């Protein structure tokens, strides 16, 4: 069965972007850690992305991607963008972007079906991830912690999660100096 996975990078103090949506702290990060338990590239984005069948994001995350790439990076995988605004759609082979003004519970069955035997990736931001958690639809949180302190910005989640503390199920140190943690979200029985 497909899982709903919130996978992202966050600063040490829990922000996924600066207040102005800037990601230079992540994109220009240069660190290292010789004692890493993970080889360069092992267990990173590529391995994660292979297990993804569909994606969902908010409009700010979507617009950031559009502004920073020449071609749609998620071709071949349906992508929902939750927004009340009209937004442009990228062109290209295999591009399946669905701009929708709807609630997560109304879309979840369609998104899970589109993911097939793979998982649904909640790309961001914190409000979208919070909507999944609020509706008991989030299975895991996978965060790559970047050893940078921003002091303020866009939070990992917009509000406290229902269900109490998450359960740590994995942690890895990377040669970049970043740390990956995987947490299971406590969910009620559906």
């Amino acid at each position: 069965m497909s899982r709903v996975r919130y996978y992202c990078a966050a600063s040490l103090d829990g922000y996924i972007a600066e207040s102005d949506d800037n990601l230079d702290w992540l994109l220009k990060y240069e660190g290292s850690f010789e004692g890493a338990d993970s080889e360069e590239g092992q267990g990173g984005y590529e391995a994660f992305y292979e297990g993804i069948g569909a994606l969902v994001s908010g409009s700010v995350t979507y617009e950031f991607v559009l502004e920073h790439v020449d071609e749609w990076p998620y071709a071949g995988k349906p992508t929902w963008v939750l927004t009340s605004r009209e937004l442009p759609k990228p062109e290209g082979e295999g591009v399946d972007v669905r701009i929708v003004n709807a609630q997560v519970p109304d879309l979840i069955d369609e998104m899970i079906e589109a993911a097939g035997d793979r998982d649904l990736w909640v790309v961001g931001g914190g409000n979208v991830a919070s909507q999944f958690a609020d509706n008991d639809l989030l299975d895991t949180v996978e965060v790559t912690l970047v050893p940078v302190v921003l002091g303020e910005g866009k939070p990992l989640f917009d509000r406290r999660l229902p269900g109490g503390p998450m359960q740590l199920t994995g942690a890895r140190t990377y040669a970049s100096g970043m740390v990956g943690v995987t947490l299971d979200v406590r969910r009620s029985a559906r």
Side-chain angles (χ1 to χ4, degrees):
M1 181 172 171
S2 295
R3 294 176 301 149
V4 178
R5 301 165 68 183
Y6 180 27
Y7 176 88
C8 65
S11 66
L12 190 58
D13 53 347
Y15 297 108
I16 59 175
E18 292 191 53
S19 297
D20 64 357
D21 298 314
N22 186 307
L23 291 179
D24 283 350
W25 61 273
L26 171 62
L27 300 175
K28 294 181 180 178
Y29 170 79
E30 293 181 20
S32 65
F33 178 57
E34 292 182 20
D37 61 6
S38 179
E39 298 293 323
E40 191 69 40
Q42 178 188 7
Y45 176 79
E46 291 80 15
F48 164 79
Y49 191 68
E50 286 178 23
I52 297 302
L55 302 85
V56 58
S57 80
S59 61
V60 174
T61 300
Y62 173 70
E63 288 175 310
F64 180 88
V65 172
L66 288 182
E67 290 172 18
H68 291 87
V69 299
D70 293 327
E71 63 182 57
W72 186 243
Y74 312 121
K77 299 187 186 206
T79 303
W80 281 259
V81 179
L82 306 180
T83 184
S84 59
R85 300 181 290 132
E86 291 200 23
L87 297 171
K89 290 185 182 181
E91 303 278 324
E93 187 174 331
V95 174
D96 181 1
V97 174
R98 305 167 190 197
I99 310 290
V100 294
N101 183 3
Q103 299 296 310
V104 167
D106 298 333
L107 298 169
I108 190 66
D109 291 338
E110 180 183 349
M111 291 187 283
I112 292 295
E113 183 178 329
D117 60 351
R118 295 184 176 168
D119 296 331
L120 175 65
W121 175 15
V122 178
V123 181
N127 181 273
V128 173
S130 293
Q131 289 178 53
F132 275 86
D134 289 347
N135 289 286
D136 203 25
L137 297 171
L138 186 62
D139 294 304
T140 62
V141 176
E142 298 165 59
V143 181
T144 301
L145 294 171
V146 182
V148 171
V149 174
L150 298 178
E152 64 179 311
K154 304 286 177 89
L156 182 64
F157 286 94
D158 275 6
R159 52 197 165 270
R160 186 180 189 139
L161 298 186
M166 292 180 242
Q167 178 65 47
L168 178 69
T169 58
R172 304 268 340 234
T173 55
Y174 295 103
S176 65
M178 297 180 193
V179 175
V181 296
T182 302
L183 305 133
D184 281 349
V185 178
R186 295 180 195 266
R187 295 177 58 183
S188 62
R190 282 202 257 174

